[in-house]
Amino acid sequence: MVKELSLIFTLVLIGAALTLIAVGWRNRLRRQNDVEPLPEVPAGLGAALASADGQYVASTTAGDWLDRIAVHQLGIRTNAELSVHPDGVLFDRAGAGPVYIPAGQLTGVRQESGMAGKFVEKDGLLVLSWMLGSRELDTGFRTRRADDKTILFNALQNLISAATQADTDSGK
């Protein structure tokens, strides 16, 4: 009888925990309903300057690596390919929609050791900072191969500096 009661108690606790997690995620979606829609992936994206397979970690509010953005499936960790194109960056995510960031919306790239529940060795994550409407976001990506991280990092820095120069030249 004690075994059955402890099993029932354990199942009730697990059910309560899962319910609380679901309610918390639903409330986070409700709080973030003002986040603007993601930019559409352009039809003629062109050849990639650099690309690598890896893991899309999450998007968070810039500077707050625990404030995961739940809307538009930006908070879902998934396998992805990150490709850098002349006009922007594309995260082609498995099991979730693609995330395209135009070059003009990128504000920076850096290497970090963790964000939103994913912690790795020093400088193991690429973190892109970008603007979605009036909200600045950080998006993390972990490459499968360490050598790919340096190639992507350099390509992203070049893309950001080129976009910044183009904005300066056009008077923005």
Side-chain angles (χ1 to χ4, degrees):
M1 181 68 175
V2 172
K3 284 185 180 181
E4 290 85 8
L5 285 177
S6 63
L7 176 65
I8 290 171
F9 181 72
T10 302
L11 290 175
V12 167
L13 282 178
I14 291 171
L18 292 175
T19 300
L20 289 172
I21 289 169
V23 167
W25 194 256
R26 186 197 65 203
N27 288 341
R28 180 176 291 270
L29 285 168
R30 189 177 306 136
R31 282 192 313 271
Q32 295 174 349
N33 67 358
D34 64 333
V35 174
E36 295 190 22
L38 294 172
E40 294 289 325
V41 179
L45 196 53
L49 304 171
S51 66
D53 287 326
Q55 184 179 57
Y56 171 91
V57 176
S59 290
T60 64
T61 300
D64 187 355
W65 55 273
L66 290 176
D67 187 22
R68 194 182 295 247
I69 302 297
V71 295
H72 312 307
Q73 298 179 328
L74 289 174
I76 297 173
R77 184 175 304 149
T78 181
N79 290 329
E81 179 186 24
L82 170 58
S83 54
V84 181
H85 299 268
D87 295 328
V89 175
L90 177 65
F91 291 94
D92 190 10
R93 302 182 301 165
V99 175
Y100 175 72
I101 307 169
Q105 292 179 353
L106 291 167
T107 59
V109 61
R110 64 187 185 279
Q111 297 179 44
E112 294 283 341
S113 60
M115 76 181 302
K118 177 75 171 179
F119 295 93
V120 296
E121 75 279 354
K122 182 179 188 230
D123 297 337
L125 290 179
L126 282 175
V127 178
L128 283 77
S129 297
W130 57 290
M131 298 298 295
L132 182 59
S134 62
R135 193 180 292 246
E136 188 171 10
L137 305 178
D138 285 340
T139 298
F141 185 76
R142 167 87 168 158
T143 59
R144 294 244 184 272
R145 296 184 33 219
D147 295 340
D148 292 340
K149 183 178 56 168
T150 303
I151 294 167
L152 284 174
F153 184 76
N154 292 333
L156 288 163
Q157 283 185 318
N158 292 338
L159 180 66
I160 292 167
S161 59
T164 303
Q165 184 63 41
D167 285 348
T168 303
D169 291 346
S170 67
K172 285 187 179 180

